[in-house]
Amino acid sequence: MIAYYKTIDSKLTKLDAPEYGCWISVVAPTAQEVAILIEEFGLDRDFVRSSLDEEESSRVEREGSQTLIIVDTAVMARENDTDLFYTMPLGIIINEQYVFTISLRDNTIIEAVSSGSIRNLQTMHRTRFVFQMLMRITAGFVQYLKQIDKISQHIERQLSKAMKNQELVQILSLEKSLVYFSNSLKANHITLEKLLRGRFVKIYDEDQDLLEDVLIELKQAIEMTKIYTGILSVMVDAFASVIANNQNTVMWKLTVITIVMAIPTMVFSFYGMNTANLPVADTWFPTVVAVAGTAAVAFALLYNKRNRDK
């Protein structure tokens, strides 16, 4: 899908046809739409293909009057009642007339920008528009990192009750997400530092502060990723220990039940073998012995456990 947007009277407005200084949003393009980008708009074929490559890493490149900026964006999906986080590349192409964003699939960043969530957005100022979009992308990483932290805190509260592997699997999934985020943020940081040198796009004085703010936000996201990765690593070790301890507790209880139940079984087995001259076999004596023996053994085991727990 190809959509056209332009800031008119300080408001982002959707257009029916492209105009000079507009933003052209391309999401999940068909083969025909890819041909339009290359043939009608004159975009570099390799730039378009790179923007649609799911495995493309973050980078910046210039060819003639066109500049390609590929950055990774944070994405969240829900699968089997579990939140999954990963990254997806977004291609930004700047030429002398337009700013293009090309995404292989629906992207929350594109949706946020097109809905007017970013204030003071001016599509005519192409460089500043790109930097504002980069700020939104970086803020998306920070937002999802905070969600990962909340999920890990919720799992931590369930730590003492952990008996199954479900929580452990979820933590491992979050760790995997943080690895994706860490690699993508570092690659984005290198790309933004290249942009800051001004070799690929012309940076105006009023735009440099914005780009530096993006870099600061990006460094904060990288530090958050490191901290949360360390926390989750500790939680994985703690979970393994808690699950083992809880299983040992269950096994101890089952062992106690087995020992206690063995006492009456032994007593009644003796009296049930038709053996002659057993003491007071025709009275309640066997039952009393069984109950007393069971109570004595149970008391001894519980007393021993209480002393051990102190």
Side-chain angles (χ1 to χ4, degrees):
M1 182 186 70
I2 301 179
Y4 312 101
Y5 299 90
K6 187 176 182 179
T7 304
I8 301 176
D9 295 331
S10 301
K11 184 180 180 181
L12 192 65
T13 306
K14 190 173 184 179
L15 306 175
D16 295 328
E19 296 181 5
Y20 178 82
C22 74
W23 161 42
I24 301 178
S25 172
V26 183
V27 178
T30 62
Q32 183 179 1
E33 290 173 336
V34 170
I36 292 175
L37 294 174
I38 296 173
E39 297 171 6
E40 296 187 13
F41 291 102
L43 295 185
D44 186 276
R45 185 182 301 272
D46 292 334
F47 283 4
V48 175
R49 289 179 177 175
S50 297
S51 300
L52 295 174
D53 185 359
E54 192 170 6
E55 302 299 326
E56 193 71 29
S57 59
S58 179
R59 61 188 175 89
V60 57
E61 184 178 345
R62 186 174 180 84
E63 186 69 34
S65 61
Q66 299 180 23
T67 300
L68 169 67
I69 304 171
I70 295 181
V71 290
D72 288 328
T73 62
V75 180
M76 183 184 75
R78 191 161 183 83
E79 183 177 323
N80 297 328
D81 295 329
T82 302
D83 291 328
L84 302 178
F85 301 88
Y86 59 96
T87 59
M88 181 175 65
L90 173 67
I92 303 174
I93 301 177
I94 310 171
N95 64 9
E96 296 177 347
Q97 293 181 307
Y98 314 110
V99 173
F100 298 82
T101 57
I102 304 177
S103 178
L104 184 61
R105 295 189 296 273
D106 290 336
N107 193 305
T108 55
I109 301 299
I110 302 301
E111 294 174 359
V113 176
S114 61
S115 64
S117 299
I118 301 179
R119 297 180 180 179
N120 303 321
L121 199 64
Q122 296 290 333
T123 57
M124 291 289 293
H125 302 156
R126 296 189 297 277
T127 302
R128 186 171 185 83
F129 174 79
V130 171
F131 290 171
Q132 288 176 310
M133 184 169 290
L134 292 176
M135 174 62 84
R136 182 73 184 195
I137 291 172
T138 305
F141 275 100
V142 174
Q143 177 184 355
Y144 286 141
L145 284 169
K146 291 179 179 178
Q147 288 191 25
I148 290 175
D149 183 44
K150 289 182 179 179
I151 294 173
S152 65
Q153 289 179 5
H154 174 73
I155 297 174
E156 185 177 359
R157 287 193 291 268
Q158 307 297 321
L159 183 61
S160 61
K161 305 175 184 177
M163 286 294 297
K164 300 180 181 179
N165 293 328
Q166 181 178 359
E167 294 86 357
L168 186 59
V169 170
Q170 191 169 7
I171 289 182
L172 293 175
S173 175
L174 293 179
E175 275 194 312
K176 183 179 178 181
S177 300
L178 289 175
V179 171
Y180 289 146
F181 278 17
S182 178
N183 292 335
S184 296
L185 287 169
K186 290 177 182 177
N188 286 356
H189 186 264
I190 294 173
T191 299
L192 293 185
E193 284 187 331
K194 290 181 179 179
L195 289 175
L196 187 61
R197 300 189 189 113
R199 292 172 50 194
F200 295 94
V201 293
K202 185 177 180 180
I203 300 178
Y204 300 92
D205 293 338
E206 59 270 20
D207 298 334
Q208 184 162 354
D209 290 341
L210 176 58
L211 183 56
E212 290 176 351
D213 290 342
V214 177
L215 281 168
I216 292 173
E217 187 83 0
L218 192 56
K219 291 178 181 177
Q220 178 186 355
I222 292 174
E223 289 301 317
M224 290 174 65
T225 304
K226 290 180 181 178
I227 293 172
Y228 294 158
T229 300
I231 292 174
L232 288 179
S233 297
V234 172
M235 286 182 62
V236 168
D237 296 336
F239 254 107
S241 299
V242 169
I243 290 175
N245 290 337
N246 289 345
Q247 288 178 342
N248 289 338
T249 301
V250 172
M251 292 303 298
W252 182 87
K253 291 179 179 178
L254 292 175
T255 302
V256 169
I257 293 173
T258 303
I259 294 174
V260 169
M261 294 301 297
I263 303 300
T265 302
M266 291 173 59
V267 173
F268 292 119
S269 296
F270 279 119
Y271 280 88
M273 292 188 296
N274 296 322
T275 304
N277 301 321
L278 287 175
V280 287
D282 297 329
T283 66
W284 286 90
F285 180 75
T287 304
V288 173
V289 171
V291 173
T294 301
V297 171
F299 176 79
L301 290 173
L302 292 174
Y303 181 79
N304 182 52
K305 180 179 183 297
R306 186 177 301 174
N307 289 337
R308 208 175 27 159
D309 292 342
K310 287 182 179 180

